[in-house]
Amino acid sequence: MYDDWNESPVQTQVFTNSSDYSNWRDNSQPRRPRDDRRNNGYRGGNRGPRRGGNDDVTTIKVPSKFVGRIIGRGGSKVNDLQFESGAKINITKETEGDETFIKLSGSNDAVSKAESLIRELTIERESYVREVKEEEPPPQDETQEEPKIVDWRSVFAKCDEMEAEKWAALPPIKKEFYFEHPEVASMSEEEIEAFRLESNNIVVERTFKNEDSKPIPKPVVTFEQAFHKYPDILKEIEKAGFTTPSPIQSQAWPVLLSGEDLIGIAQTGTGKTLAFLLPALIHIEGQNIDRSKRGGPAVLVMAPTRELALQIDKEVKKYEYKGITAVCIYGGGNRREQIKVLTDGVDIVIATPGRLNDLAEAGHLEVKYVTYVVLDEADRMLDMGFEPQIRKVMYSIRPTRQTVMTSATWPPGVRRLAQSYMVDPIQIYVGTLDLAATHTVTQIIEMMPDDDEEKFRTFMNFATNLDPSEKVIAFCGKKARADELSTELTLAGLQCQTIHGDRDQSDREQALLDIADGTVQILIATDVASRGLDIDDITHVINYDFPRNIEEYVHRVGRTGRAGKSGKSISYFTRGDWGQAKELIAILEEAQQYVPEELYKMADRYSTWKEKKDASRPSGRGRGGGRRW
Ligand code: AMP
């Protein structure tokens, strides 16, 4: 441990001219206590360091191995340090031996504070590294017994047997509650097609094409058609004042009431909550087990964030049906109160995966009685790293349950979840293209080579030439890329903030505050973390990585040109994005924007390639749609 200031690995040098390295400061002064409050007291008067000011520059040296720690993920740590201290911290590329020079500028107090924080950071990490080393396992004892060979086949067989025993004790699940209305039954294929087309062009299909699947239920046009056997539900809808089902509801209700697993590719605002909620209410009431005698909830809804969980809870509590009760459990909420509601007995649990696992492991929540599961915003949950928690909970729920998943996008991770936990799901895509949003934005497409260098150079050039009145959101496809860009901007002396799924809720909120109040001019974001991002004066959207689907493009572009202002979007488009060219052209043409010739060519080349590929694909059964276990 570096208990003594002199033992710290940081050395200090003060000079008033950046080329002067001769005047070392005596660093035997006592260490100041660290103020652990994040940002408190430093905002307002001290909004980040000034660029190009006349302050003296203090140079300190740190072991180069700590530079990454000081910069933090995507520059987040150094940003924090700058805000906390009020000093400008410039981590130079200059080194001496295995040490790197860091230049600090600002008021004396700010520089001292920054220096002290950096020392703290390096001291803590050094001791951590040492402790870890001490815990290294002792060398293998050569006299140890040979490892036993495990007969995995019999282990698996035993597991299956135990699983079957566990579930056999529970009453069977009832999943079919649908009574097709005569008006729906009489709809022709053409009428159905036409209805889906005019309902925001909803697309419905089996996720894993399977010849043995049952036909997909026809959509309903009215509430009456869906719930004619459930007058109490109809009364609740009437109370809410809704006139027609939303597109996802039209298709999801017949599917879910038929007991099928469902994937809804839909964003917030499409009515997706009610789409899975009303069938859930009917499902709860219809189980053979007496609700009061059940040892746990019948419906479990997992959601990525506290905000979304609370939003779902609010929606659930608007509908009264047969005395069904719900509780919302999330990290940061009153644990004791949540436990009490669970112990008293509740039908629906809406939860974030972390707190859910916590309460299940502590024995306060029994998920084995769950017969209807919803994974809401699955893509976002995966982006936030909740996959292990989701898998753990799903493993404890009966395999014969009904499973619903919603997701705004359809990346491989979500597909994997569907394959593991759903039985031959039906998938509904709901277009949410709000094209009007793109009409107030000048959309520029910059064609780029596939290697990242050109993109990076173009972006840095753009960022360093920003006008003080401009504000930018740059979208990246991956969290790592967002971090990388943010680090580079920080190293170039530009203030920026980052928002993505790996950042804490409080850091994300801070990032939004900083871009909203102008503390920073650049926000680097990933799609998932930026949903609902609502800042009025964004002048530019940069699509550093082109989005995975055109809905996301429209969503991103709509982050600028808001509140009657004009905006500009600049999209870097590479050959790897060619699959999106056709749809992008349609958007650009519709909004009367310039379409580069190369984009047309790319769209043609892609169509030709795809036709060839489809022609060569073997026909027959697709991938399996069964559960893995
Ligand atoms: P959601 O997409 O679930 O976040 O829902 C967005 C909003 O739409 C919520 O406030 C719902 O109450 C509302 N909503 C749900 N279904 C309908 C409907 N059929 N008609 C009008 N509004 C609806």
Side-chain angles (χ1 to χ4, degrees), residues 221-490:
V221 179
T222 64
F223 294 118
E224 168 71 21
Q225 287 175 357
F227 302 112
H228 57 112
K229 293 281 181 190
Y230 307 97
D232 289 355
I233 293 274
L234 284 173
K235 258 189 240 153
E236 289 301 305
I237 295 173
E238 200 179 325
K239 245 177 31 193
F242 301 149
T243 51
T244 37
S246 73
I248 192 167
Q249 291 164 357
S250 296
Q251 189 58 72
W253 285 333
V255 168
L256 288 173
L257 289 172
S258 304
E260 299 261 13
D261 284 359
L262 175 95
I263 302 170
I265 305 292
Q267 298 194 346
T268 302
T270 50
K272 65 183 169 77
T273 313
L274 213 55
F276 63 71
L277 174 65
L278 296 184
L281 298 179
I282 293 169
H283 174 101
I284 294 170
E285 182 57 18
Q287 294 313 302
N288 296 327
I289 192 163
D290 186 342
R291 268 171 44 214
S292 61
K293 297 205 179 87
R294 209 185 275 139
V299 170
L300 173 65
V301 183
M302 276 185 253
T305 60
R306 179 179 45 181
E307 291 83 353
L308 183 63
L310 285 167
Q311 210 172 298
I312 300 167
D313 186 51
K314 209 166 125 200
E315 192 77 1
V316 170
K317 287 182 174 145
K318 279 190 211 161
Y319 302 91
E320 267 173 47
Y321 187 67
K322 317 269 185 196
I324 287 174
T325 53
V327 66
C328 184
I329 61 178
Y330 53 90
N334 187 325
R335 195 168 183 275
R336 216 178 286 174
E337 242 169 55
Q338 293 171 358
I339 292 170
K340 182 168 180 338
V341 181
L342 290 173
T343 319
D344 289 350
V346 70
D347 302 296
I348 305 177
V349 167
I350 303 141
T352 51
R355 178 58 65 96
L356 176 68
N357 264 280
D358 160 25
L359 295 183
E361 267 168 25
H364 300 299
L365 169 63
E366 181 51 86
V367 293
K368 78 175 183 202
Y369 298 97
V370 168
T371 50
Y372 187 105
V373 185
V374 182
L375 301 174
D376 201 16
E377 303 209 353
D379 52 350
R380 202 161 157 198
M381 285 202 273
L382 294 187
D383 274 17
M384 291 173 75
F386 284 134
E387 186 161 354
Q389 287 93 333
I390 295 173
R391 291 199 176 265
K392 204 161 166 197
V393 172
M394 294 303 266
Y395 185 74
S396 314
I397 303 176
R398 269 201 276 184
T400 44
R401 67 183 174 247
Q402 188 170 3
T403 311
V404 188
M405 187 156 81
T406 80
S407 183
T409 55
W410 185 229
V414 177
R415 247 171 280 174
R416 264 201 317 275
L417 275 188
Q419 244 177 343
S420 305
Y421 299 117
M422 304 183 96
V423 177
D424 199 9
I426 291 173
Q427 190 157 343
I428 308 176
Y429 296 88
V430 187
T432 51
L433 291 191
D434 179 11
L435 290 174
T438 63
H439 289 177
T440 48
V441 181
T442 307
Q443 300 169 58
I444 296 166
I445 309 298
E446 291 191 16
M447 308 306 286
M448 292 279 170
D450 269 340
D451 71 282
D452 280 341
E453 266 189 30
E454 183 66 22
K455 267 191 190 183
F456 178 68
R457 250 198 313 275
T458 312
F459 177 70
M460 291 305 282
N461 188 29
F462 169 84
T464 40
N465 287 299
L466 276 181
D467 190 89
S469 63
E470 293 172 333
K471 268 191 199 176
V472 182
I473 303 181
F475 285 98
C476 296
K478 295 203 171 101
K479 289 174 274 189
R481 166 96 73 196
D483 283 340
E484 239 170 68
L485 279 189
S486 163
T487 306
E488 291 294 341
L489 288 171
T490 308

Side-chain angles (χ1 to χ4, degrees), residues 577-583 585 599-615:
D577 304 317
W578 67 336
Q580 318 269 7
K582 193 171 156 204
E583 285 176 297
I585 291 169
L599 198 62
Y600 284 117
K601 285 188 193 153
M602 248 186 205
D604 286 344
R605 283 200 295 269
Y606 179 74
S607 298
T608 316
W609 174 84
K610 193 153 190 309
E611 270 166 31
K612 263 196 218 153
K613 189 171 163 242
D614 288 348

Side-chain angles (χ1 to χ4, degrees), residues 41-339:
Y42 303 99
R43 296 181 54 75
N46 215 349
R47 298 205 149 174
R50 281 167 288 148
R51 267 204 272 160
N54 293 325
D55 300 309
D56 288 354
V57 177
T58 301
T59 296
I60 60 174
K61 279 201 288 185
V62 298
S64 301
K65 65 180 176 184
F66 289 129
V67 165
R69 295 258 154 84
I70 296 166
I71 293 175
R73 201 177 239 278
S76 56
K77 189 70 203 173
V78 74
N79 273 343
D80 282 355
L81 293 173
Q82 293 192 111
F83 281 122
E84 205 162 335
S85 64
K88 178 180 173 172
I89 302 173
N90 177 10
I91 300 157
T92 72
K93 293 195 171 146
E94 294 162 44
T95 54
E96 192 177 81
D98 54 3
E99 292 184 309
T100 296
F101 290 99
I102 297 182
K103 292 178 184 169
L104 310 174
S105 53
S107 69
N108 279 346
D109 272 0
V111 168
S112 300
K113 178 101 198 162
E115 197 184 328
S116 156
L117 291 173
I118 291 173
R119 273 179 203 276
E120 287 282 330
L121 201 63
T122 55
I123 289 166
E124 275 170 25
R125 300 299 175 178
E126 181 69 7
S127 70
Y128 171 72
V129 170
R130 286 180 181 189
E131 276 160 25
V132 169
K133 276 193 190 145
E134 277 161 21
E135 279 174 20
E136 274 174 13
Q140 284 282 320
D141 177 0
E142 282 167 13
T143 60
Q144 258 177 7
E145 277 178 42
E146 284 278 306
K148 285 196 188 107
I149 293 171
V150 179
D151 177 2
W152 288 109
R153 208 172 289 181
S154 70
V155 171
F156 287 143
K158 187 75 196 155
C159 274
D160 286 350
E161 208 178 290
M162 286 164 74
E163 277 287 308
E165 258 170 46
K166 186 166 106 185
W167 304 127
L170 295 166
I173 303 177
K174 222 175 144 216
K175 295 200 274 193
E176 287 174 37
F177 301 98
Y178 190 48
F179 300 89
E180 194 180 55
H181 194 282
E183 288 165 10
V184 177
S186 67
M187 273 172 99
S188 68
E189 279 307 312
E190 291 73 40
E191 282 171 316
I192 294 170
E193 272 295 293
F195 174 73
R196 286 183 179 146
L197 197 66
E198 72 199 33
S199 303
N200 248 8
N201 191 16
I202 47 174
V203 175
V204 194
E205 60 189 22
R206 291 271 173 191
T207 306
F208 309 110
K209 314 284 178 287
N210 190 340
E211 284 165 3
D212 304 332
S213 304
K214 283 195 279 182
I216 293 173
K218 297 175 180 181
V220 293
V221 179
T222 64
F223 294 118
E224 168 71 21
Q225 287 175 357
F227 302 112
H228 57 112
K229 293 281 181 190
Y230 307 97
D232 289 355
I233 293 274
L234 284 173
K235 258 189 240 153
E236 289 301 305
I237 295 173
E238 200 179 325
K239 245 177 31 193
F242 301 149
T243 51
T244 37
S246 73
I248 192 167
Q249 291 164 357
S250 296
Q251 189 58 72
W253 285 333
V255 168
L256 288 173
L257 289 172
S258 304
E260 299 261 13
D261 284 359
L262 175 95
I263 302 170
I265 305 292
Q267 298 194 346
T268 302
T270 50
K272 65 183 169 77
T273 313
L274 213 55
F276 63 71
L277 174 65
L278 296 184
L281 298 179
I282 293 169
H283 174 101
I284 294 170
E285 182 57 18
Q287 294 313 302
N288 296 327
I289 192 163
D290 186 342
R291 268 171 44 214
S292 61
K293 297 205 179 87
R294 209 185 275 139
V299 170
L300 173 65
V301 183
M302 276 185 253
T305 60
R306 179 179 45 181
E307 291 83 353
L308 183 63
L310 285 167
Q311 210 172 298
I312 300 167
D313 186 51
K314 209 166 125 200
E315 192 77 1
V316 170
K317 287 182 174 145
K318 279 190 211 161
Y319 302 91
E320 267 173 47
Y321 187 67
K322 317 269 185 196
I324 287 174
T325 53
V327 66
C328 184
I329 61 178
Y330 53 90
N334 187 325
R335 195 168 183 275
R336 216 178 286 174
E337 242 169 55
Q338 293 171 358
I339 292 170

